[in-house]
Amino acid sequence: MDTVPHTSKDKEKILEAIGVSSFEELLTSIPKRLRDFRWDLPCGVSELELAAELRGTAVRNTDFTSAVCYLGAGNYDHFIPAVVERLAHRSEFMTSYTPYQGEASQGTLQSMYEYQTLICELTGMDASNASMYDGASGLAEAVLLALRSDGRKKILLPQTVHPEYRAVVRTYLSYVGAEVVEVPALDGAVDLAKLRELLDGDAAAVVIQQPNFFGILEDAPEAAEAARKAGAHLIACVNPLSLGILKPPGEYGADIAVGEGQPLGNAVSYGGPHFGFFAVKEPLLRKIPGRIAGMTVDNAGRRAFVLTLQAREQHIRREKATSNICTNQALCALKGAIYLALLGREGIRKLGLLNVKNARETYERLLRIRGVSEFSRKPFFNEFVLYVDRPEEKLKESFRRNGILGPLPLARFDARMRSAYLFAVTEKRTPADLDRLVKAIEETKEGDYLASTGRGIKQTHF
Amino acid sequence: MLRPEEELSKLIFEKRSANTASWLPSPGKEAEEVLKKIPKDLLREKEPEIPSLSELDVVRHFTNLSRKNFCVDTHFYPLGSCTMKYNPKSLDAFASFPGFADVHPYADEEDVQGALQLLHEMEIFLSEITGMDAFTLQPAAGAHGEFCGLLMAAAYHHSKGEKRTKVLIPDSAHGTNPASAALCGYEVVQIKTNPRGHVDPADLKSKTDASVACFMMTNPNTLGLFEEDILEISRLVHEKGGLLYYDGANMNALLGVCRPGDMGFDIVHLNLHKTFAVPHGSGGPGSGPVGVKKRLAPFLPVPRIRKEGDRYRWEHSAPSSIGKLRSFYGNFGAVVRSYAYIRALGKEGLRAVSENAILNANYLKKRLEDIFDEPFDGFCMHEFVLSAARYKKQGVKALDIAKRLLDFGVYAPTIYFPLIVEEALMVEPTETESKETLDRFVEILRAISREIQENPEKVQGAPYTTPVGRIDEVRAARQPNLRYHSK
């Protein structure tokens, strides 16, 4: 492939205009010994050859067109209407830069403003930025914001929050001088009594994930009340797709709402790119990280949009900025906005109902299989944990034989979670898919250990 | 009746038509029953104010919005430091293959061998391109890569029992450099640029001591100049036990020309959305892989890809690792694009990228030298900085020239950066632009230069042909209106 449009004649003319006889003369400021190296890279190939080769690579991955996906835990196999990519992949969105020259970027700026409004409506918050990298780094930035807002130094981070998110928060806090205290779980949800005990005058924030890592619905209003009483911020990390039916964090008193935007119209793509959303209540408005679009007017008094409150950002404030973020996930956030517009206010509820219904039906059907037992009796949205009393390898084999991806064995995160599996069930799952899942489990023999022996597990640290 | 431009600036919240989300099946009555399993105080009571629009109205809305943007596919976009080159469309098609786009990050390793192989090979390619020993593909963008690199620098010094408190950064650096250093708890110390546009060796020498963890550099620097004393700088920093960090924002100048690893850099981040053809997407997603020399490899983020025989797997635990920077493994879809770009161009094609990026920049620089001040002499690399200070006497600023360019159908160069050049205009033509396009750009700037002499008010009032005129930014910041409220 060649991406350079010069003819050899053009090149000669260019060299002549510059006043050199060869390209090498332009490199004299580079020490000679740096210019002399062996470069072990393959030769270029045509688009035709590369397409064939990459198809070969791609088919070695099991994708959602070749298997039924029950995997979730942060990324979900939702249906994406064709319109989303058709619009977002238009050149004008895909090949433009961050809209610093507002007059030539009104399309991006207005869509950002609309995205921000949609996120505020969905979460019940007052202001949103234009996007973060993902849910986990968004949560870490929320924690940093809470720590910045007052002198407090303690973050209460429940063990029911996604383990990868907790890991990312810890990484971000490496040199911040804050203490992370993990709040234990009880019956798959935050142990509220322990939370109240741990909430003291040094707590800057309580984090709640809703639904939590196990798919379970936390008693978020209670946790919010406890945080409020202790004067700590409540950071709610929420699944945006659940908010068509679940109470928005702004209504139960969250100060910051963040989450993973992938469920809103973004392909799973082996974990990225997607976007994180980040929304706050009014008092924190001027402290939020990242880009924000605002509405204003032009010199003729016409409605116009522009990047605003830039005095928070790294290109102005340098080491005093509210965050180091620059490039964000704009195109993914745009997909989220288009997806929400296609859903409309009826659609977001409809989608929530489909998810809840499919998940509940799957849950009840699976429980009727011998050797499958409950992990918790608490309510859930579109994801849940069950114990499946089968050797993991046998199950894996059977799922593969039956064309099923997942569910996620939680032993992957903690050996004590042996035989616990996290199932995600979206609107895409059909009764035929469920038959196939049941068949796959039933085809394996019960294992050499009983689910009941796992009963203590849910109260242990995770 | 609204005027056409008023109709076109309507928000999606100001439009109405019927939408029942008929692209989804009906959940049926039993769904409402299932909802009763969830306690009432966890349920939503009031519907969100999301617009209800037909598919056509959604399509028309966003299509019309898109038409208010300049982009690489429609306009010359010489935005310095951002590498707004043409990105081949085949790359988008590859990333959309179901075997890449519809794959779950928690799928069993057996089910993602293709993805793992691609990631593994990409780490090797990037190591070879930059002259480093190991790479992580986890960071989502350049600033995320900086954070990753500086965390590793800190972990490295800690492992040696050293407490170093400072990061050195040139005064011409991007704002992300000091912001990332601050996030790692470092004190930022600025290094001066000398009159030739290079890091001032004397200033560097006086500030380099045992308290310095790292010197962060861009090379070529943000003035578009190669730091010719780089080997001496490397010796100086390493002598005091510090590390050298390479900000890869300007890597488009160096492919096949020379390598940061050979210059002595210990840590390198790349911006796949600049050099390696990931479209900028109105501000993201990008990808910011980080490469290191062997002695820093134990600190790379987890998980790491391992190859055993012809099988690939994730290794999740590494005792010295800095941990995780985001969920899963990075912006995989972006990495697929860049992998395909490297494979398509190959060794010769990559070298041609930088050769032509450098040629195009020097050509423009030469042809513009009579109408702008060039603060630094000599050849540039892939970009250069002009000063529009001479037009101040007509009352015209770099900002005005930038806005006037829009009327001629060219996106504006980066302005007022780097901060050390008065009325800076930073121009990066990239390798994908033809001589004809560059010549037209020169003619346009000449026309604007004449206009400044004859009719400066015209330039000060620009732009005139864009969907909106000069925007009131002060009002936007003083009376923030960040979301729509329905009446």
Side-chain angles (χ1 to χ4, degrees), chain A residues 241 245 349-365 380-384 424-431 434, chain B residues 25-38:
Chain A
L241 194 134
I245 57 167
R349 180 174 163 84
K350 189 174 172 183
L351 183 58
L353 286 173
L354 280 167
N355 275 264
V356 168
K357 185 187 104 172
N358 282 357
R360 176 58 67 174
E361 281 172 5
T362 305
Y363 184 80
E364 284 170 6
R365 176 91 181 272
F380 52 87
F381 175 60
N382 66 355
E383 217 172 358
F384 54 81
V425 189
T426 71
E427 74 285 354
K428 275 180 77 175
R429 297 291 73 87
T430 64
L434 179 52
Chain B
S26 164
K29 283 211 183 71
E30 64 273 28
E32 299 284 348
E33 284 301 305
V34 170
L35 212 52
K36 288 181 183 155
K37 300 258 183 198
I38 299 175

Side-chain angles (χ1 to χ4, degrees), chain B residues 155-229:
Chain B
Y156 168 78
H157 292 304
H158 275 279
S159 76
K160 297 179 71 182
E162 291 180 356
K163 199 167 155 40
R164 292 174 178 250
T165 54
K166 293 176 193 158
V167 167
L168 308 181
I169 294 173
D171 54 8
S172 62
H174 294 112
T176 50
N177 292 178
S180 300
L183 194 53
C184 296
Y186 284 116
E187 180 195 337
V188 173
V189 179
Q190 247 183 34
I191 304 297
K192 281 194 210 104
T193 298
N194 69 16
R196 297 180 52 239
H198 296 274
V199 164
D200 183 2
D203 194 41
L204 177 65
K205 196 163 186 183
S206 72
K207 288 170 180 164
T208 305
D209 58 29
S211 69
V212 171
C214 190
F215 181 29
M216 292 181 92
M217 288 179 80
T218 314
N219 194 17
N221 63 27
T222 59
L223 298 162
L225 303 174
F226 191 88
E227 294 283 2
E228 52 194 20
D229 295 325

Side-chain angles (χ1 to χ4, degrees), chain A residues 286-299:
Chain A
R286 286 176 187 271
K287 292 179 181 163
I288 58 185
R291 294 173 185 142
I292 306 174
M295 190 195 281
T296 178
V297 293
D298 75 353
N299 52 5

Side-chain angles (χ1 to χ4, degrees), chain A residues 18-29:
Chain A
I18 298 171
V20 293
S21 54
S22 78
F23 170 72
E24 294 295 324
E25 283 178 51
L26 298 174
L27 304 181
T28 45
S29 56

Side-chain angles (χ1 to χ4, degrees), chain A residues 264-284:
Chain A
L264 305 179
N266 277 263
V268 169
S269 191
Y270 201 47
H274 312 132
F275 68 99
F277 57 91
F278 194 109
V280 297
K281 285 286 174 62
E282 179 81 32
L284 297 175

